[in-house]
């Protein structure tokens, strides 16, 4: 069984600033993956970044990076140089087994011009 | 690559009616997933296909729900005798293979029960 907890229902950031979204998870899988997905209003879910649990190095994708703390089961997302287009719901997720993805409840990110 | 396509985008129906949704995955993807998302929540897993085989079903999938993927390509999700609580966004996703491959999501079908 897997659970994902996002404790920040809403966050805001000034344009060009940096923001960190928190996520903790629990899983019984020994081999699993972690993802951050972005869902803009009325638009489809898009993968932002992914992390293989067996890799110690934190994943980065341009302005997006993660802080993966395996022992603490923590997987936070850092967005640098925030842009207006970053405004969206962000979902932390984990997968294992048949690749069923378990999502958190999401964090709504507002970017202030 | 045209992405995952879902039809219809919106469905409004009266309680008690049957509805069917369709999902066309990315053509080379052998795995297909259905999720349900209610307002303010993350998507919840419903069921999963590998090719034409339905390999896992959530306990959320009551006997009023049935999903098929007859030829391992498109999939349908049918809800019989709809109830108010079925109102949600139904998302379809597909992926190419092992767990490290990301799922690609469609735009979803929004179901509203009157």
């Amino acid at each position: 069984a897997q659970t994902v907890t996002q404790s920040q229902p809403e966050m805001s950031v000034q344009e060009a600033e940096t923001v960190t979204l928190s996520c903790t998870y629990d899983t019984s899988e020994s081999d699993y993956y972690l993802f951050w997905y972005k869902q803009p209003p009325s638009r489809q879910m898009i993968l932002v970044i992914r992390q293989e649990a067996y890799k110690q190095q934190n994943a980065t994708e341009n302005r997006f990076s993660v802080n993966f703390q395996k022992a603490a089961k923590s997987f936070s997302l850092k967005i640098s140089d925030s842009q207006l287009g970053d405004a969206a719901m962000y979902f932390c997720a984990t997968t294992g087994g048949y690749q069923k993805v378990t999502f958190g409840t999401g964090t709504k990110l507002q970017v202030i011009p | 690559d045209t992405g995952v396509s879902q039809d219809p985008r919106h469905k409004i129906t009266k309680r008690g009616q049957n509805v069917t949704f369709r999902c066309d995955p990315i053509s080379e993807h052998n795995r297909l997933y259905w999720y349900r998302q209610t307002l303010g929540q993350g998507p919840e897993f419903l069921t999963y296909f590998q090719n034409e085989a339905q390999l896992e079903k959530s306990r959320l999938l009551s006997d009023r729900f049935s999903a098929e993927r007859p030829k391992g390509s498109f999939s349908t999700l049918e809800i019989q005798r709809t109830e108010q609580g079925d109102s949600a966004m139904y998302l379809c996703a597909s992926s190419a293979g092992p767990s490290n491959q990301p799922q690609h999501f469609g735009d979803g079908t929004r179901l509203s029960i009157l």
Side-chain angles (χ1 to χ4, degrees):
Chain A
Q2 299 155 102
T3 60
V4 177
T5 302
Q6 293 180 252
S7 58
Q8 305 156 315
E10 294 188 27
M11 293 281 286
S12 61
V13 61
Q14 293 281 348
E15 195 175 3
E17 296 296 309
T18 296
V19 65
T20 298
L21 308 184
S22 301
C23 171
T24 58
Y25 65 93
D26 196 10
T27 181
S28 56
E29 302 287 340
S30 57
D31 183 19
Y32 58 93
Y33 304 88
L34 296 159
F35 305 89
W36 278 96
Y37 282 90
K38 170 185 178 182
Q39 188 177 41
S42 301
R43 298 187 64 183
Q44 63 182 217
M45 193 90 68
I46 303 167
L47 178 70
V48 174
I49 197 166
R50 63 180 169 177
Q51 173 85 40
E52 287 92 340
Y54 65 86
K55 287 188 177 180
Q56 293 185 336
Q57 186 173 3
N58 289 325
T60 62
E61 283 288 339
N62 301 314
R63 298 182 295 107
F64 299 88
S65 61
V66 299
N67 183 3
F68 175 45
Q69 301 289 329
K70 190 171 184 178
K73 295 185 177 178
S74 170
F75 184 62
S76 61
L77 174 70
K78 185 171 82 171
I79 306 174
S80 303
D81 186 25
S82 297
Q83 301 175 1
L84 295 178
D86 295 333
M89 284 291 290
Y90 285 82
F91 292 98
C92 178
T94 185
T95 185
Y98 282 124
Q99 202 184 355
K100 176 183 73 175
V101 180
T102 301
F103 289 87
T105 51
T107 296
K108 183 177 181 180
L109 179 65
Q110 180 184 19
V111 181
I112 303 167
Chain B
D1 179 358
T2 57
V4 177
S5 176
Q6 291 189 246
D7 183 69
R9 290 293 304 276
H10 299 96
K11 179 70 177 179
I12 301 172
T13 191
K14 293 182 179 180
R15 187 177 56 185
Q17 297 296 304
N18 299 342
V19 295
T20 300
F21 310 140
R22 176 179 171 122
C23 171
D24 288 89
I26 293 172
S27 58
E28 62 268 26
H29 286 182
N30 63 342
R31 298 186 180 197
L32 187 147
Y33 305 79
W34 285 99
Y35 294 87
R36 182 172 67 187
Q37 186 178 21
T38 53
L39 198 63
Q41 299 295 317
E44 295 174 294
F45 170 80
L46 292 179
T47 191
Y48 153 68
F49 291 85
Q50 184 165 320
N51 299 312
E52 66 276 9
Q54 189 174 17
L55 296 185
E56 189 173 353
K57 291 170 61 173
S58 165
R59 57 181 171 79
L60 295 175
L61 215 64
S62 75
D63 57 5
R64 297 185 298 105
F65 288 70
S66 62
E68 294 182 343
R69 194 183 183 196
K71 297 182 180 179
S73 56
F74 73 91
S75 176
T76 58
L77 177 67
E78 181 183 15
I79 308 173
Q80 296 182 326
R81 305 180 303 281
T82 52
E83 301 174 356
Q84 291 284 354
D86 297 332
S87 295
M89 176 75 84
Y90 290 84
L91 296 170
C92 177
S94 70
S95 70
S99 298
N100 64 336
Q101 295 302 308
Q103 296 182 13
H104 297 257
F105 284 81
D107 289 335
T109 293
R110 181 169 296 283
L111 174 64
S112 298
I113 307 297
L114 301 178

